[in-house]
């Protein structure tokens, strides 16, 4: 082999090694936060990062002022050089309701999952959120607390059709606080 070829292969191997080490060492949460904040959307607050697996994650976030607040979710995939935003959706919060909701179809970006339904809890009495699909399947949503006194809920479906579901927010004693049919 010629010296130029050996030199070129050596440089290539060194660069690949550096890239590999960088990918292994780089913290996934920080990588997602960096990608999320790179869009320069003002006053954005990440409420929670949910990892579906080692290469797919959902970021739940809010932005805006208390009177004009938006809540949303962003889908991220881990690529060769870090985390990439693939889709996002958000909606303004209607403060006359006690339970917010939004839907995202996950099938296009995350083929192992069918849908995401989520929302912010606007009434502190709500301690449980259940989703009843239009075919009668009842599912319990996960509730996440953040910023010390705020909560949101979400449900990731794998094969279940969430469109047309009824969402119910319950108090700790089982009383219905809010019920929404989407």
């Amino acid at each position: 082999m010629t010296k130029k070829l050996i030199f070129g292969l050596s440089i290539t191997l060194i660069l690949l090694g550096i890239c590999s080490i960088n990918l292994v060492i780089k913290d996934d949460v920080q990588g997602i936060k960096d990608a999320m904040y790179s869009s320069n959307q003002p006053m954005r607050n990440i409420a929670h990062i949910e990892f579906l697996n080692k290469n797919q994650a959902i970021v739940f976030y809010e932005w805006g002022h208390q009177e004009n607040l938006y809540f949303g979710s962003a889908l991220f995939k881990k690529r060769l050089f870090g985390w990439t935003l693939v889709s996002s959706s958000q909606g303004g919060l209607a403060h006359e309701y006690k339970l917010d909701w939004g839907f995202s179809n996950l099938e296009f970006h995350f083929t192992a999952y069918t849908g995401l339904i989520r929302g912010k809890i606007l009434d502190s009495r709500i301690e449980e959120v259940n989703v009843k699909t239009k075919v009668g399947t009842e599912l319990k949503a996960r509730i996440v607390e953040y910023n010390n006194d705020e909560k949101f809920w979400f449900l990731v479906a794998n094969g279940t059709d969430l469109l047309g579901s009824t969402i119910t927010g319950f108090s700790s004693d089982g009383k219905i606080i809010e019920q929404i049919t989407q």
Side-chain angles (χ1 to χ4, degrees), residues 73-93:
S73 56
L75 309 178
F76 283 84
K77 280 189 175 182
K78 189 172 189 178
R79 309 270 190 206
L80 182 59
F81 295 105
W83 288 92
T84 306
L85 173 69
V86 294
S87 177
S88 67
S89 65
Q90 63 190 3
L93 297 177

Side-chain angles (χ1 to χ4, degrees), residues 37-118:
Y37 291 130
S38 69
S39 68
N40 297 321
Q41 189 174 22
M43 299 172 287
R44 183 175 310 154
N45 176 38
I46 293 176
H48 177 71
I49 299 173
E50 182 70 18
F51 288 91
L52 300 178
N53 56 45
K54 66 180 183 173
N55 296 317
Q56 298 174 326
I58 302 171
V59 175
F60 298 93
Y61 67 96
E62 62 186 7
W63 67 274
H65 296 288
Q66 190 62 30
E67 303 82 39
N68 195 18
L69 193 62
Y70 293 83
F71 188 80
S73 56
L75 309 178
F76 283 84
K77 280 189 175 182
K78 189 172 189 178
R79 309 270 190 206
L80 182 59
F81 295 105
W83 288 92
T84 306
L85 173 69
V86 294
S87 177
S88 67
S89 65
Q90 63 190 3
L93 297 177
H95 292 284
E96 63 269 14
Y97 294 104
K98 297 171 173 77
L99 191 63
D100 172 56
W101 73 274
F103 173 80
S104 296
N105 185 342
L106 300 181
E107 292 176 296
F108 182 71
H109 298 290
F110 297 167
T111 55
Y113 303 94
T114 50
L116 164 70
I117 191 167
R118 50 93 185 128

Side-chain angles (χ1 to χ4, degrees), residues 102-149:
F103 173 80
S104 296
N105 185 342
L106 300 181
E107 292 176 296
F108 182 71
H109 298 290
F110 297 167
T111 55
Y113 303 94
T114 50
L116 164 70
I117 191 167
R118 50 93 185 128
K120 186 159 176 158
I121 296 174
L122 302 169
D123 186 317
S124 62
R125 297 176 298 162
I126 295 177
E127 297 288 330
E128 183 177 321
V129 176
N130 290 342
V131 176
K132 186 174 183 179
T133 66
K134 62 184 173 187
V135 295
T137 305
E138 293 190 33
L139 304 162
K140 185 175 180 176
R142 181 170 165 205
I143 293 179
V144 176
E145 294 184 25
Y146 67 105
N147 288 344
N148 297 322
D149 63 345

